[in-house]
Amino acid sequence: MTAIEFITLDVADTEAANRFYTNAFGADPRIRVREAQPATTGFRGYTLSLIVSQPANVDLLVGAALEGGATSVKPAAKSLWGYGGSVRAPDGAIWTIATSSKKDTEPASRKVDDLVLSLGVEDVVASKRFYAEQGLAVGKSFARMYAEFESGSVKLALNRRRALAKNAGVDPEGTGAHRLTIGGGAFTDPDGFAWEPATSAVKQ
């Protein structure tokens, strides 16, 4: 069965990127970086999300990211589904930090419950079928709007591109490379997201 073991981000400066992610979100072997700058403009078609247990943890992680050089995209705020916000890391990746809880029940911490990779796709039904054929089990699915998979240590979700961009607080327009590679397979999906075998990737 296909599973996501890590995410590799293309960055201009691997030392600076590693320092940012370690200081902002804590050392996480699921997030890797490599030196590469393929042409890209605007929204890269994906978001990475840190799901935490309470609003205080959201604020702590957002604050650490901003202190480390990230820029605010969508300030943390309450919503119908919980509490969260989004930032743009110095390398350009969009991160959302969120919780379904609206109340704090313990001291704030940077503990992350789930790491989610959300892909903005042209056709959720077609992409869901594609990933099912690669061996991923569908966990949740809402018609043509959303799909979620059982995909190992990194959860994989599919959204319509415009809806994903709107949720993150960015313009959906963008062209060029995604600047992201998914570790755990050997294929490219219908929207150009590339997977690479986990054994062939080198952590930098």
Side-chain angles (χ1 to χ4, degrees):
M1 175 177 162
T2 302
I4 303 177
E5 297 189 25
F6 55 83
I7 301 296
T8 301
L9 301 172
D10 292 341
V11 302
D13 185 332
T14 57
E15 184 177 343
N18 277 321
R19 183 168 57 249
F20 167 77
Y21 285 116
T22 299
N23 291 341
F25 303 147
D28 189 332
R30 297 173 296 179
I31 300 301
R32 303 182 177 190
V33 299
R34 65 183 165 207
E35 187 174 344
Q37 288 187 283
T40 189
T41 62
F43 183 46
R44 297 178 186 173
Y46 73 89
T47 63
L48 287 159
S49 299
L50 302 177
I51 308 302
V52 299
S53 62
Q54 60 180 9
N57 295 5
V58 172
D59 290 336
L60 188 63
L61 287 164
V62 169
L66 296 177
E67 185 176 335
T71 55
S72 178
V73 174
K74 193 174 184 179
K78 291 182 180 179
S79 68
L80 291 175
W81 52 263
Y83 182 82
S86 59
V87 300
R88 179 180 282 106
D91 61 83
I94 300 295
W95 288 79
T96 63
I97 301 95
T99 178
S100 60
S101 174
K102 296 184 180 181
K103 295 196 306 181
D104 296 323
T105 59
E106 58 188 10
S109 77
R110 293 197 297 175
K111 181 178 182 295
V112 173
D113 296 331
D114 287 303
L115 173 61
V116 182
L117 169 63
S118 297
L119 305 182
V121 302
E122 183 69 24
D123 185 330
V124 171
V125 173
S127 292
K128 180 178 71 172
R129 184 184 310 115
F130 173 85
Y131 276 108
E133 290 171 350
Q134 308 311 310
L136 273 72
V138 178
K140 297 178 182 178
S141 181
F142 301 101
R144 299 179 177 274
M145 305 289 290
Y146 178 83
E148 186 178 290
F149 297 88
E150 302 296 336
S151 52
S153 62
V154 180
K155 288 189 176 181
L156 176 66
L158 305 177
N159 293 264
R160 292 185 298 179
R161 182 185 174 99
R162 287 188 174 276
L164 182 62
K166 181 179 179 180
N167 289 342
V170 298
D171 189 296
E173 300 304 318
T175 60
H178 296 298
R179 291 196 180 181
L180 169 138
T181 305
I182 305 166
F187 54 84
T188 298
D189 81 0
D191 293 275
F193 289 98
W195 289 58
E196 64 183 359
T199 55
S200 68
V202 177
K203 183 177 180 180
Q204 296 196 28

